[in-house]
Structures are given as structure tokens and as C-alpha cells.
Amino acid sequence: MKQYVITFVMLVVAFCMQAQELKKGDEMPKFELTSSVYGDIKSTDLKGKVVLINLFATWCGPCKMIAPVTAELAEKYEANMKFTSLNTTGARRVAISQKVLGLPVMAIYKGGEKVEELVKEECTAEAIEAMIQKYV
């Protein structure tokens, strides 16, 4: 039993070491998303554009509360910015590469690079809109 636990721990450590931490200024990871709200989105289609990505989980209470706000902001700013969302439950590798340790996360990418993000309790309607207004 002890050998299985050690093997499992070694696999977890190896997996975590493969995930790259993305910081401000890092290139946006390549992805393809299908969203019932925002339609199909590919990272290659977003090159040179400002994008807000809402990282959430279906079990996350604060994520559910902020979802209508981001939908309203998407309508309000759709001419100047792309909006998408990513359920981190189904995209664990992306969440790990983004170092998502709490939800929700609102991340803004400009020209394919992360320029700003709000995490957890920072994700208020006012803070999200203020962040958006800096980039439109």
C-alpha cells in the first residue's frame, strides 16, 4: 500500500511540474471552446483582440452569482472586446496551467497575452467593469 501511495505522489508531482505557470505578459494558451452563450471560439481567432475569459465551475456559488453580470457586460462591450467562459471542471489542464487556485477568475488577454485578472472575492460587478474599461 505504501508503495502505491508513493507512486501516486510521484505522478502528481510530475504532472504539476509539467504545467507551466502563466504570468502577466505570457502568451495565451491555445484552446478551442464551444459555448452555448458565446458560440465557438478558438484562441487563433482572438489574436490581436482583447478577450475576457470567465473561468468558473458549475459547483461554484460565487461563479453562479457573477455569471449574469458577465453576460450583461458581454452585451454592453461586445463591439470592443470578445467574451468567453471556461468551465474549469472540464478543463483541468488549462486551470492548472493558469494556476487557478480559487474561483471565479476573470482574466483579460490582449494580443494573446494575459494583462490582468481578478480572482475570487475581487470579482465584483464594479471591479470587472472597471477592469474592462481599461482595455476598451
Side-chain angles (χ1 to χ4, degrees):
M1 177 70 168
K2 185 176 177 183
Q3 184 178 9
Y4 291 117
V5 172
I6 292 170
T7 303
F8 176 74
V9 170
M10 288 174 57
L11 286 171
V12 170
V13 170
F15 178 76
C16 290
M17 288 176 68
Q18 288 178 354
Q20 296 176 337
E21 179 178 357
L22 289 177
K23 298 177 218 126
K24 203 181 242 190
D26 286 351
E27 193 170 312
M28 179 169 57
K30 291 188 175 142
F31 63 86
E32 292 183 27
L33 301 173
T34 300
S35 170
S36 60
V37 178
Y38 307 112
D40 293 342
I41 298 173
K42 296 178 183 175
S43 58
T44 54
D45 298 338
L46 304 176
K47 197 81 171 157
K49 298 180 181 170
V50 179
V51 182
L52 183 136
I53 301 177
N54 172 11
L55 295 126
F56 74 99
T58 54
W59 51 261
C60 170
C63 298
K64 291 177 185 176
M65 290 173 54
I66 204 70
V69 171
T70 57
E72 286 177 27
L73 292 172
E75 286 182 30
K76 184 174 180 178
Y77 293 101
E78 69 184 341
N80 303 357
M81 178 182 274
K82 290 282 194 180
F83 287 75
T84 189
S85 57
L86 177 67
N87 182 349
T88 58
T89 305
R92 290 178 121 3
R93 285 185 185 251
V94 174
I96 289 168
S97 74
Q98 294 283 320
K99 295 295 183 191
V100 173
L101 300 175
L103 294 171
V105 174
M106 302 291 162
I108 293 202
Y109 288 83
K110 185 175 182 180
E113 296 181 352
K114 186 191 292 189
V115 292
E116 191 168 350
E117 71 178 8
L118 297 171
V119 180
K120 294 169 71 173
E121 54 273 341
E122 296 172 340
C123 294
T124 64
E126 298 79 19
I128 296 167
E129 186 159 21
M131 181 175 70
I132 288 169
Q133 288 177 349
K134 292 180 198 176
Y135 300 99
V136 292

